[in-house]
Amino acid sequence: MTMLSLNRRKALSILGALPLISGIALRFDAALAQSAASAPLLPSWNDGATKQSILDFVAAITREGSPDFVPPAQRIATFDNDGTLWVEHPIYTQLVFALDRVKALAAQHPEWTDAQPFKAALEGDMSTLAASGQRELLALIMATHAGMSTRDFEKIVLDWIASARDPRWKRPYTELVYLPMVELLAFLRANAFKTFIVSGGGIEFMRPWTERIYGVSPDQVVGSSIKTKFEMRDGKPELLRLPEVDFIDDGPGKPVGINEHIGGRPIAAFGNSDGDLEMLQWATMANGRRFGLIVHHTDAEREYAYDRDTNFGRLDKALNAAASNKWTVVDMKKDWKRIFAFE
Amino acid sequence: MTMLSLNRRKALSILGALPLISGIALRFDAALAQSAASAPLLPSWNDGATKQSILDFVAAITREGSPDFVPPAQRIATFDNDGTLWVEHPIYTQLVFALDRVKALAAQHPEWTDAQPFKAALEGDMSTLAASGQRELLALIMATHAGMSTRDFEKIVLDWIASARDPRWKRPYTELVYLPMVELLAFLRANAFKTFIVSGGGIEFMRPWTERIYGVSPDQVVGSSIKTKFEMRDGKPELLRLPEVDFIDDGPGKPVGINEHIGGRPIAAFGNSDGDLEMLQWATMANGRRFGLIVHHTDAEREYAYDRDTNFGRLDKALNAAASNKWTVVDMKKDWKRIFAFE
């Protein structure tokens, strides 16, 4: 019923420009498709081989009777978040959140003024922070992400995401999402894909806002997690966030997280860094038509330019693998007409 | 767009009797709704307070403008599997599967003929098995559920579920699903609910067949799991199943699994044993209209009768809690007109 023929595909692409419809599968009635018949596909993408590779893939797997045809139930696409759907430079947004939380909680923790990494966080000493090991960063995450109920943490995230501003663009971080990728998410959903986020970031940090920003509901978000514990408190059930790592959804963890949360194997995967290498291998190195895409940050002027030499979103092995696996590599500067919706 | 008004609700209920549509959200066009307008709701349920409590709840939360109205994105319903959607007596089906696997693998494990619990499994010595501790049962599970790729395990499950027969009804286990509950799943989905399975059973044991049998896709199945590991083998990516427990989705683990997989909090939960107590508390003890339901096995003739004194699906604390929390208790004998589709 939702196996869209090629001529409908074009009609439906307008949905990328519509406000995201929350919660339930998008539905397209005849009238809407009719009125959208003349809208261009993926309007923020420049014409060329990159855009064409996306259109060709979707055309092939939705064409009934084609050897490449994939039934809707198997149309699973997975997207990294940091650097693939939104800006990750100069540092991951979730780390900005953690540093803001350290400042907010400092009065209750006088011991932090003398202990690293909290001292560096409080002083805004980014070079010390950048040189921190995993143990220090974990201490920072646990001190700011654990010790409250899931409900309280959701409120903390929502309050922060509504008020925090990125220093370069002076805008909420949720406006620093890539418009071409938001169009791509909607385009895939219009072709009966389920679109999942599979991120190294915290699952509970993303879920409160992914539906509003990306049209991705909480159950379609996979991420790193800390353990939680069920408890009755004053006769009311609560889930408490514990200072203990549950799962790291990065690198070889991404196929594991995909299997645990989604069950099915993606036929398309979208990333931008070495942390996405195994996810792209898992999605594309299998029978049938598959699609892998790497966002290469090449636009220092409109966004950032980085690949092999960065702490945040290093793209090295995965860039080499893209060539041998024939993954599409987005040259951000060349392939994206617009980067942000506010431009 | 899918907020069904009350008069459409009735029309859509016919879907419970239609073949289950796989993968994507059910869609109902005007013609279908028209032809279904005279079909009864939940036809395998007898009229009475139990059935009425379900209809009243769904009517209330789908009535736009009502104080009980719940938007579609928050219409999350969670269902236990063993004893709630299919038969769990005299022993859990997954344990039957494990015992069959022990027999199939015995030739490769001569040491099993002298070592418990394998010896008992091979000899069909159920009383020894029933007296086994958690350590023995885990050994049985790990020996039969780990040590292969996820792909190979899926094939093993599908082959077994296609060929195994229940000794009482001489039918595949997938036919021993409760027709009233399958109708209920479809009725909720027709009212824009997402329906999840949240089971103590193995997540990878259920996923290969839940879509065909219940209309629940793999990403909407939550269960117990063992750890997996990503590996490149001969240049091909594989997920290997390790003999190590990852997560036990039972009792207080159910709200934890719900939070990890679904994110949102259910507004309705369906179970049959003490292992479902915390899930029902989590779903119902919160603001807004909520619904909890317990399947009470009271029909020794058509199925089984058990509650406080059984090893498989003990219903004791949760039965007491049902009274104080005003959960609906299904009296199987009285409330279900038909139990199985084959009757």
Side-chain angles (χ1 to χ4, degrees), chain B residues 267-311:
Chain B
I267 62 165
F270 304 82
N272 79 297
S273 78
D274 286 358
D276 304 313
L277 173 62
E278 289 85 354
M279 173 170 77
L280 269 86
Q281 290 173 325
W282 181 238
T284 65
M285 298 173 77
N287 293 333
R289 182 124 177 197
R290 306 279 173 149
F291 189 76
L293 181 147
I294 297 264
V295 175
H296 190 186
H297 291 261
T298 53
D299 197 329
E301 207 170 307
R302 292 189 298 166
E303 201 243 10
Y304 295 99
Y306 59 94
D307 44 39
R308 300 188 196 268
D309 302 305
T310 174
N311 280 322

Side-chain angles (χ1 to χ4, degrees), chain A residues 303-325:
Chain A
E303 202 244 8
Y304 295 98
Y306 58 95
D307 43 39
R308 299 188 197 268
D309 304 304
T310 174
N311 280 323
F312 297 99
R314 183 194 313 273
L315 175 62
D316 182 28
K317 283 189 228 169
L319 194 55
N320 300 340
S324 51
N325 289 286

Side-chain angles (χ1 to χ4, degrees), chain B residues 109-217:
Chain B
H109 294 275
E111 76 280 11
W112 284 354
T113 50
D114 287 325
Q116 293 296 14
F118 302 99
K119 185 168 182 289
L122 289 171
E123 294 169 352
D125 175 359
M126 299 310 290
S127 60
T128 297
L129 279 175
S132 296
Q134 198 179 20
R135 203 162 60 97
E136 283 76 20
L137 288 176
L138 266 179
L140 211 57
I141 293 293
M142 292 312 172
T144 54
H145 287 64
M148 72 293 280
S149 71
T150 52
R151 201 167 37 167
D152 288 344
F153 185 70
E154 183 183 24
K155 190 178 172 320
I156 291 167
V157 170
L158 282 172
D159 287 349
W160 184 83
I161 210 93
S163 61
R165 294 292 177 275
D166 163 81
R168 174 167 167 189
W169 287 278
K170 324 283 184 209
R171 288 179 177 272
Y173 289 94
T174 44
E175 291 187 24
L176 303 186
V177 301
Y178 306 130
L179 183 60
M181 296 304 285
V182 174
E183 289 171 1
L184 179 53
L185 283 163
F187 174 63
L188 291 174
R189 288 194 294 265
N191 283 282
F193 275 81
K194 280 188 182 172
T195 54
F196 293 84
I197 290 173
V198 178
S199 169
I203 190 167
E204 304 280 25
F205 177 72
M206 297 182 283
R207 280 171 162 169
W209 49 267
T210 54
E211 184 146 11
R212 181 172 62 87
I213 303 300
Y214 301 132
V216 175
S217 58

Side-chain angles (χ1 to χ4, degrees), chain A residues 192-237:
Chain A
F193 275 81
K194 281 187 180 173
T195 55
F196 291 85
I197 290 174
V198 179
S199 169
I203 191 167
E204 303 280 25
F205 177 72
M206 296 181 283
R207 279 172 161 168
W209 49 267
T210 54
E211 184 145 10
R212 182 171 62 87
I213 303 301
Y214 301 133
V216 175
S217 58
D219 58 308
Q220 294 182 346
V221 176
V222 183
S224 298
S225 56
I226 60 177
K227 288 193 190 294
T228 62
K229 188 184 171 214
F230 178 85
E231 245 183 50
M232 294 297 285
R233 281 199 165 178
D234 305 326
K236 291 214 161 184

Side-chain angles (χ1 to χ4, degrees), chain A:
Chain A
M1 279 187 288
T2 52
M3 287 160 247
L4 308 171
S5 61
L6 281 176
N7 45 343
R8 284 195 71 197
R9 230 190 59 225
K10 193 169 175 187
L12 294 171
S13 69
I14 186 74
L15 284 148
L18 288 178
L20 295 167
I21 297 164
S22 70
I24 50 172
L26 298 173
R27 284 149 167 271
F28 316 106
D29 60 32
L32 179 62
Q34 193 66 29
S35 74
S38 59
L41 287 172
L42 302 174
S44 299
W45 295 70
N46 286 317
D47 290 333
T50 299
K51 178 174 177 174
Q52 198 57 47
S53 71
I54 299 169
L55 300 178
D56 288 348
F57 167 71
V58 174
I61 67 104
T62 55
R63 191 184 294 126
E64 283 189 73
S66 142
D68 293 331
F69 179 76
V70 176
Q74 291 161 35
R75 294 186 200 163
I76 295 169
T78 54
F79 288 78
D80 170 57
N81 184 42
D82 296 304
T84 299
L85 296 179
W86 77 352
V87 175
E88 68 185 347
H89 265 220
I91 59 171
Y92 297 132
T93 302
Q94 193 172 354
L95 196 46
V96 181
F97 166 77
L99 298 180
D100 280 359
R101 291 302 301 158
V102 168
K103 287 171 202 153
L105 297 167
Q108 301 161 45
H109 294 275
E111 74 280 12
W112 283 354
T113 51
D114 287 324
Q116 292 298 14
F118 301 99
K119 185 169 183 289
L122 289 171
E123 293 169 353
D125 176 359
M126 298 310 290
S127 60
T128 297
L129 279 175
S132 295
Q134 198 181 19
R135 204 163 59 96
E136 283 77 20
L137 287 176
L138 266 179
L140 210 58
I141 293 293
M142 293 310 173
T144 54
H145 287 63
M148 71 293 279
S149 71
T150 51
R151 200 167 38 168
D152 288 345
F153 186 70
E154 182 183 23
K155 191 180 174 318
I156 290 167
V157 170
L158 282 173
D159 287 349
W160 184 84
I161 210 93
S163 62
R165 294 293 178 273
D166 162 81
R168 176 168 164 188
W169 287 278
K170 324 283 184 211
R171 288 179 178 273
Y173 289 93
T174 44
E175 290 188 22
L176 303 186
V177 300
Y178 306 131
L179 183 59
M181 297 303 286
V182 173
E183 290 171 0
L184 179 52
L185 282 163
F187 174 63
L188 291 174
R189 287 194 294 264
N191 283 281
F193 275 81
K194 281 187 180 173
T195 55
F196 291 85
I197 290 174
V198 179
S199 169
I203 191 167
E204 303 280 25
F205 177 72
M206 296 181 283
R207 279 172 161 168
W209 49 267
T210 54
E211 184 145 10
R212 182 171 62 87
I213 303 301
Y214 301 133
V216 175
S217 58
D219 58 308
Q220 294 182 346
V221 176
V222 183
S224 298
S225 56
I226 60 177
K227 288 193 190 294
T228 62
K229 188 184 171 214
F230 178 85
E231 245 183 50
M232 294 297 285
R233 281 199 165 178
D234 305 326
K236 291 214 161 184
E238 292 282 4
L239 279 174
L240 300 174
R241 292 171 59 79
L242 308 178
E244 191 182 342
V245 170
D246 178 49
F247 180 64
I248 303 293
D249 190 48
D250 197 36
K254 288 202 175 189
V256 171
I258 286 168
N259 186 62
E260 173 70 11
H261 282 256
I262 307 177
R265 191 161 171 178
I267 62 165
F270 303 82
N272 79 300
S273 79
D274 286 358
D276 303 314
L277 174 63
E278 289 85 354
M279 173 170 77
L280 269 85
Q281 289 173 325
W282 181 239
T284 65
M285 298 173 79
N287 293 333
R289 183 125 176 193
R290 306 280 174 149
F291 190 76
L293 181 146
I294 298 266
V295 174
H296 190 186
H297 292 260
T298 53
D299 197 331
E301 206 169 306
R302 291 190 299 168
E303 202 244 8
Y304 295 98
Y306 58 95
D307 43 39
R308 299 188 197 268
D309 304 304
T310 174
N311 280 323
F312 297 99
R314 183 194 313 273
L315 175 62
D316 182 28
K317 283 189 228 169
L319 194 55
N320 300 340
S324 51
N325 289 286
K326 296 184 182 151
W327 297 333
T328 291
V329 177
V330 171
D331 179 337
M332 190 182 268
K333 188 170 184 172
K334 186 171 130 256
D335 290 324
W336 285 358
K337 197 179 295 175
R338 289 173 70 187
I339 294 187
F340 303 115
F342 59 77
E343 287 174 334

